[in-house]
Amino acid sequence: MATKNEALLIATRNAHKTGEFQQIFGERYQVSDLSAYPDLPEVEETGTTFDDNSRLKAVEISQQVPEVLIMADDSGLEVDALNNAPGVYSARYSGPAATDASNRAFLLENLNKTEARGKQRAGRFRCVLTLAKGGKMLHQTSGAVEGIITNEEKGDGGFGYDPLFVPEGECQTFAQLPASTKHAMSHRGRAVAQMVRFMQEHQLL
């Protein structure tokens, strides 16, 4: 059984993402991210699917830090009217110098161009998690949540595309909902729940 003193390294430098994992796991693990390892190189995300990129990050980082459990997340937003874009390019959708704000603006710009053709604003957040240690992939899980893309940003919480996404069954965006509500239904929360079951079954949690 894991304790709060056991380490789980999230293969990201995104503090918002790390914060979500910390909230989801609570005290079951001492969660850290790659900011604790500033000398590690960036892992090039050369995969064309969330599965590929999640596995690439987890395995490569676990080779560099072999004594620690590594969890890598690759996630993004798929919009039906945009042929599932931005997808795996969600973090850099608006270009090499992309920010969350510029990505949201670019998404709305592109989506609004489809309105004249009667396209709907349906989409989903998708997440794939990979657990690795010592250069070996131990397990992979995935989660998704369906929803609608709003016409404008709403809410100050969350990060990324959260202010534009209303999950199915709700009237507010992820950025407006309480964090606990978001985690219970989010793509990341669902992928983590599956991973937790695996970790419990294999006495990693």
Side-chain angles (χ1 to χ4, degrees):
M1 181 70 68
T3 72
K4 60 187 291 187
N5 296 317
E6 294 191 75
L8 178 66
L9 178 62
I10 309 300
T12 185
R13 289 183 171 85
N14 184 326
H16 295 292
K17 189 175 290 188
T18 304
E20 284 201 354
F21 277 108
Q22 182 66 78
Q23 290 175 336
I24 292 170
F25 275 104
E27 294 189 345
R28 288 178 288 189
Y29 270 95
Q30 182 182 338
V31 176
S32 62
D33 62 24
L34 296 181
S35 63
Y37 297 85
D39 295 332
L40 287 183
E42 291 284 346
V43 177
E44 189 174 357
E45 297 182 21
T46 57
T48 58
T49 67
F50 295 122
D51 301 58
D52 290 342
N53 285 331
S54 176
R55 181 169 54 252
L56 280 170
K57 289 185 284 188
V59 171
E60 185 164 333
I61 295 300
S62 72
Q63 291 172 339
Q64 301 290 327
V65 192
E67 71 280 3
V68 179
L69 270 176
I70 308 296
M71 187 175 293
D73 158 305
D74 200 51
S75 53
L77 180 67
E78 298 174 339
V79 181
D80 291 352
L82 301 178
N83 297 317
N84 287 337
V88 295
Y89 306 107
S90 291
R92 50 195 184 277
Y93 186 46
S94 57
T99 64
D100 285 353
S102 69
N103 284 335
R104 292 193 296 267
F106 191 53
L107 178 70
L108 287 179
E109 177 185 341
N110 289 335
L111 188 53
N112 288 337
K113 292 176 182 176
T114 72
E115 295 301 297
R117 299 197 295 273
K119 297 283 188 177
Q120 295 184 346
R121 304 176 75 91
R124 71 208 49 80
F125 272 122
R126 194 179 298 281
C127 170
V128 174
L129 292 181
T130 301
L131 189 70
K133 189 171 185 180
K136 292 180 60 178
M137 185 178 84
L138 303 179
H139 195 55
Q140 194 170 68
T141 63
S142 64
V145 56
E146 300 287 333
I148 296 295
I149 313 304
T150 59
N151 292 307
E152 60 183 5
E153 296 185 22
K154 297 179 181 179
D156 300 319
F159 67 101
Y161 298 93
D162 284 355
L164 296 176
F165 186 82
V166 177
E168 199 169 56
E170 296 289 339
C171 299
Q172 294 179 304
T173 68
F174 268 161
Q176 293 173 300
L177 291 169
S180 57
T181 302
K182 175 190 172 182
H183 296 329
M185 69 173 67
S186 76
H187 52 310
R188 187 166 294 113
R190 290 172 176 176
V192 167
Q194 295 178 47
M195 187 64 79
V196 165
R197 286 195 290 273
F198 171 83
M199 294 166 78
Q200 289 172 332
E201 291 170 359
H202 292 78
Q203 298 183 336
L204 298 170
L205 185 65

